[in-house]
Amino acid sequence: MSTYTITELAREFDITARAIRFYEDQGLLSPSREGAGGRNRVYTPRDRTRLKLTLRGKRLGLSLAEIKSLVDMYETPKDSVAQMHRFLNVLAQHRETLEQQREDIEMSLAEIQAHEDECKQLLAQQAAT
C-alpha cells in the first residue's frame, strides 16, 4: 500500500502543509506518525481521498462541518441511499444560499447602475449649461 508525505499531498493538490494540518485538526484526516517522536506524518490512500473530497467540498462552498459529515458517511457504507439523500439535502441548502446571494448581488448592482446613471445625467446637464 502506498503512502504519502505531507509535502507530496501539498504539492499534488496545490495547497499548503499548514492547510493539511488544519484539516487534520478538524478531524478530516488522520495520518499515522513515524520517526523520532512521531514527527513525520504518513498519509494513506484513504487520507488522500478524504483530502480530495474535502477540497471538492470547499470548491462547492460547503462548510468544514458539512464536508466532515459527508465524508464520514462514506466511511460507513451501511446505506448509500441515505447518504445520497443527505448529500442532496446539503447541496439543495447550499444552492438556496447561493441563489439568495446572487439575487442580493443583482439588486446591489442594479442600485449601483441607477446611481451611476443619475450621476452621469447630472454631469451631462452641468456640462450643457
Side-chain angles (χ1 to χ4, degrees):
M1 179 167 80
S2 60
T3 59
Y4 308 90
T5 66
I6 195 168
T7 303
E8 290 169 334
L9 289 178
R11 189 177 303 122
E12 178 181 352
F13 291 105
D14 195 27
I15 58 174
T16 64
R18 183 177 181 197
I20 294 173
R21 287 189 298 272
F22 176 75
Y23 294 140
E24 183 181 335
D25 291 342
Q26 298 301 307
L28 289 157
L29 306 172
S30 54
S32 60
R33 302 288 186 137
E34 291 182 356
R39 293 186 60 192
N40 299 327
R41 291 169 166 85
V42 179
Y43 296 89
T44 64
R46 173 190 172 272
D47 290 311
R48 183 186 172 279
T49 298
R50 288 177 67 93
L51 178 58
K52 184 176 181 178
L53 293 171
T54 297
L55 296 174
R56 186 176 296 159
K58 289 301 292 176
R59 279 193 306 276
L60 288 172
L62 302 177
S63 71
L64 286 180
E66 290 170 323
I67 293 168
K68 183 169 180 353
S69 172
L70 292 170
V71 171
D72 285 347
M73 280 192 304
Y74 287 98
E75 294 294 314
T76 56
K78 293 177 184 164
D79 186 3
S80 62
V81 171
Q83 292 168 352
M84 289 305 202
H85 282 295
R86 169 74 176 119
F87 186 49
L88 284 172
N89 185 43
V90 168
L91 290 175
Q93 290 172 351
H94 189 61
R95 175 185 294 278
E96 185 178 318
T97 299
L98 289 174
E99 287 175 352
Q100 181 61 53
Q101 289 173 345
R102 179 173 52 191
E103 185 179 316
D104 294 343
I105 289 170
E106 288 172 358
M107 286 176 43
S108 294
L109 287 172
E111 288 177 21
I112 288 170
Q113 185 66 53
H115 290 298
E116 287 175 338
D117 291 345
E118 183 180 347
C119 288
K120 288 175 185 177
Q121 187 177 36
L122 290 172
L123 285 171
Q125 288 174 356
Q126 288 182 358
T129 57

